[in-house]
Amino acid sequence: MSHNQSAACCNTPVVISKGYKEMGKYATVDGLKTYITGPSSASHGILVIFDIFGFFPQTIQGADILAHSSEKHYQVFMPDWFDGNPADISWYPPDTEDKGRKLGAFFNTEAAPAKTVDRVMKVMNKLQSNYPNMKSWGVVGYCWGGKIVNLVSQQGTPFKAAASCHPAMVDPNDAPNVTIPILSIPSMDEDKSAMAQYEAALKVPNRTEWYDDQIHGFMAARSDLENKKVKAAYEKAYQTLLTWFSEHL
């Protein structure tokens, strides 16, 4: 389902194609190096669950875009879920046996969903304690992070709204357990059948906006922002995120 962008949310910072300089800073949150961006006066927070490639300029720039929209400001937090040991981007796509083996091992250790869900909850306990004036929290995940978003948006979640960008491991069985509004932004590489079943099983306000001409990862580490078509899609997708959180946080 496509939708009109909210004019109030579309005045995003200019997207830099190459050599991006981050606007935020790094601090430690519950033992994890965390990128923090946005005004300290913000009354709404967003937690970012990046993809398996960790801190990439494209993902950091996305966090800055979310934090510095002109109409509604957020403070955005992006912890290093992998303790400085993300997957090597050269492993993707896993088109050789060696790449597949390395990715599989990573998903079974560093990126094990249960491990990350536990960490998300611990990080949020710390953030809620450290930022008691935040009125509400949102969560956005990319690729693998999209799977984690679904798992932390269930009963008892600390979040008020969620978004999943080019989500990996889409499982229709996750959908009935989601308890907060959720936005999905799938790419050309997502399974259309699985996404359709997932959408049908959701019981909460939801929206899906397809990017059929973009690869998995176009909003995060795999985004080639020097490509004008990719850059335009990246900008539009972030405007979609801003509109969603403006409506639901």
Side-chain angles (χ1 to χ4, degrees):
M1 181 190 303
S2 62
H3 65 289
N4 294 326
Q5 305 294 338
S6 168
C9 294
C10 290
N11 297 316
T12 57
V14 175
V15 172
I16 305 300
S17 299
K18 192 174 183 180
Y20 183 72
K21 182 173 176 58
E22 60 205 28
M23 300 169 68
K25 62 182 180 179
Y26 290 90
T28 300
V29 177
D30 196 47
L32 299 181
K33 178 181 178 181
T34 301
Y35 181 66
I36 302 175
T37 182
S40 58
S41 59
S43 57
H44 303 277
I46 296 175
L47 184 74
V48 176
I49 306 176
F50 52 33
D51 58 26
I52 61 171
F53 308 117
F55 292 122
F56 254 70
Q58 301 95 312
T59 316
I60 291 171
Q61 183 168 189
D64 286 341
I65 290 171
L66 293 176
H68 296 280
S69 61
S70 61
E71 179 71 11
K72 190 172 185 179
H73 296 287
Y74 306 97
Q75 198 158 20
V76 178
F77 302 82
M78 182 163 59
D80 182 0
W81 307 106
F82 306 129
D83 296 303
N85 295 298
D88 190 322
I89 199 165
S90 69
W91 300 346
Y92 199 91
D95 49 11
T96 69
E97 184 177 344
D98 183 57
K99 290 180 182 180
R101 178 181 57 79
K102 288 176 177 176
L103 269 178
F106 186 82
F107 275 108
N108 287 327
T109 55
E110 295 296 329
K115 174 183 177 181
T116 310
V117 168
D118 183 60
R119 280 193 151 183
V120 168
M121 295 309 178
K122 289 179 179 178
V123 164
M124 281 307 300
N125 283 339
K126 181 64 70 172
L127 287 175
Q128 288 176 313
S129 174
N130 290 349
Y131 299 87
N133 293 327
M134 289 291 187
K135 295 179 181 177
S136 63
W137 290 86
V139 61
V140 57
Y142 304 92
C143 309
W144 161 86
K147 176 67 172 182
I148 305 304
V149 162
N150 272 271
L151 298 178
V152 301
S153 297
Q154 301 182 9
Q155 190 67 38
T157 181
F159 304 108
K160 188 178 179 183
S164 176
C165 306
H166 30 75
M169 299 176 281
V170 174
D171 185 352
N173 292 320
D174 289 339
N177 298 319
V178 174
T179 59
I180 56 177
I182 189 164
L183 166 71
S184 299
I185 303 180
S187 72
M188 65 191 298
D189 296 317
E190 272 65 78
D191 185 317
K192 282 187 164 53
S193 176
M195 281 299 308
Q197 294 176 59
Y198 171 84
E199 286 180 74
L202 285 169
K203 300 176 182 179
V204 293
N206 64 90
R207 184 174 293 152
T208 299
E209 185 160 318
W210 281 90
Y211 281 75
D212 290 310
D213 61 348
Q214 297 298 315
I215 64 167
H216 180 78
F218 79 95
M219 294 177 69
R222 299 186 68 225
S223 182
D224 177 10
L225 295 177
E226 294 186 79
N227 180 309
K228 291 182 179 180
K229 188 175 181 180
V230 175
K231 182 180 177 182
Y234 177 96
E235 291 172 337
K236 182 175 182 289
Y238 273 98
Q239 290 170 358
T240 298
L241 277 180
L242 285 166
T243 299
W244 180 255
F245 284 125
S246 179
E247 292 171 354
H248 294 284
L249 284 188

